Amino acid sequence: MIPYIYDIAAAVILIVFIGRGFKRGVLRTVLSLICLIIAISAAAACSSYPVTSKIYDDYLSETVSEHIDNAVKEVRDETTKKLKDEAERSADRFIDDNLGGSEELKQFVRDYLSTDDEELRNQLSTAYSYLGIDISTLLTNPDFRAKIEEIASQYSGSVADELNSRLPLGIKVSKSSVENILTDEKVPEAIVYDMFGIKSENSQTKGTADYIENTLVRPAAIRMISAVVWAAVFTIVNIVLKIIVNIILIVRKIEPVKACDSILGGVLGAAVGAAVLAAAVILIVLIIRFTGGMTYLNEDIFSDTLFFGRLYDLAKSLDFLN
């Protein structure tokens, strides 16, 4: 009985496709295929990178940048406070070890470090310009880079949480992706600019928030917009085209047209069924070639079939399968 199951399955496939084609008619089948192609093409065009990036830049970029700025500021303030505390402890140790433990100097350092963040940044920036310090030397210093990477690793989770709590449209970022961004070799200058207001002469950095927005959030947002636009355009175009097709198919109410359309639909269904059957047979050829055959899927069984075995032998003889 097993061999004839393959013949029965092949016959069922052809009958189902012929019946479906007869019922739908060639006109509906062809028009549905054309509608599908048009809908996919329209969706692809409307969700292309130039279109979705313009949508993001025109309607979302400003809002997203503001949210990122706020998220980074929260973490930056926390980080700056800890760095100030560390700087104060280091200064106290230095004064104790080298300057006789002067309380006046310690208080001076505390007063300076307690200066308003923006004012402190301006003072540091002015001092940097006045002294002509080469920041590139600082940025390439292994100890400094190690400290920046330590800070980035320590606070990447906080940055990710802040971003995810603020970003619109359900845009999400992972801790690992934030950490990868913050430890990128281009980021230390952005972090230094955020915290101290100084950057090298030819630097284009606008800070950590801008870097995160351009390298992490913007690409993710554009991908999401692309998916949403594709789905929306495909659905709308498909609905409109189906309405048009239903109007056109009114002609099937004319009996001679309906009869001819159904017969041609059955012929087309037979062709589609044959193509599906051929694909299935080719797949079986490949499975047997790579596995050597199985209990109920082997050449001995096919040799006992009336029809399926002939299809198998024909597929096996194809040039591209040899």
Side-chain angles (χ1 to χ4, degrees), residues 93-107:
R93 285 195 299 270
F94 180 83
I95 292 171
D96 287 336
D97 295 341
N98 300 280
L99 300 174
S102 171
E103 291 299 326
E104 290 79 5
L105 284 176
K106 290 182 181 180
Q107 188 59 48

Side-chain angles (χ1 to χ4, degrees), residues 52-218:
T52 52
S53 61
K54 182 169 178 57
I55 292 173
Y56 176 82
D57 292 337
D58 290 350
Y59 301 104
L60 288 174
S61 179
E62 186 175 342
T63 301
V64 169
S65 295
E66 183 179 341
H67 287 308
I68 296 174
D69 282 336
N70 291 334
V72 170
K73 184 177 183 301
E74 290 284 341
V75 179
R76 186 184 69 209
D77 290 346
E78 181 183 349
T79 306
T80 302
K81 182 179 183 303
K82 290 193 175 184
L83 287 176
K84 283 182 177 181
D85 291 342
E86 185 178 325
E88 184 178 322
R89 288 193 297 270
S90 298
D92 286 349
R93 285 195 299 270
F94 180 83
I95 292 171
D96 287 336
D97 295 341
N98 300 280
L99 300 174
S102 171
E103 291 299 326
E104 290 79 5
L105 284 176
K106 290 182 181 180
Q107 188 59 48
F108 173 78
V109 171
R110 293 191 193 98
D111 291 342
Y112 183 76
L113 292 175
S114 63
T115 304
D116 174 77
D117 287 345
E118 191 61 34
E119 183 180 344
L120 182 58
R121 290 174 81 250
N122 291 334
Q123 291 178 7
L124 289 171
S125 180
T126 302
Y128 159 79
S129 301
Y130 178 76
L131 296 174
I133 300 171
D134 182 9
I135 194 172
S136 60
T137 303
L138 177 65
L139 295 174
T140 55
N141 181 280
D143 292 335
F144 180 79
R145 285 194 59 83
K147 187 63 179 177
I148 289 294
E149 290 182 7
E150 178 188 337
I151 293 172
S153 178
Q154 184 178 357
Y155 291 102
S156 56
S158 299
V159 174
D161 291 340
E162 285 290 338
L163 288 173
N164 290 334
S165 68
R166 296 170 184 270
L167 291 177
L169 301 178
I171 302 171
K172 298 293 182 183
V173 298
S174 65
K175 175 185 174 181
S176 59
S177 60
V178 173
E179 184 171 348
N180 289 337
I181 290 296
L182 294 182
T183 54
D184 185 90
E185 62 179 11
K186 298 178 182 178
V187 170
E189 188 158 19
I191 294 177
V192 170
Y193 178 70
D194 271 345
M195 298 182 67
F196 307 117
I198 54 179
K199 60 182 178 179
S200 55
E201 184 177 349
N202 298 319
S203 174
Q204 300 297 315
T205 186
K206 296 179 182 176
T208 314
D210 180 73
Y211 192 81
I212 291 175
E213 196 267 340
N214 280 300
T215 58
L216 179 62
V217 177
R218 187 175 189 274

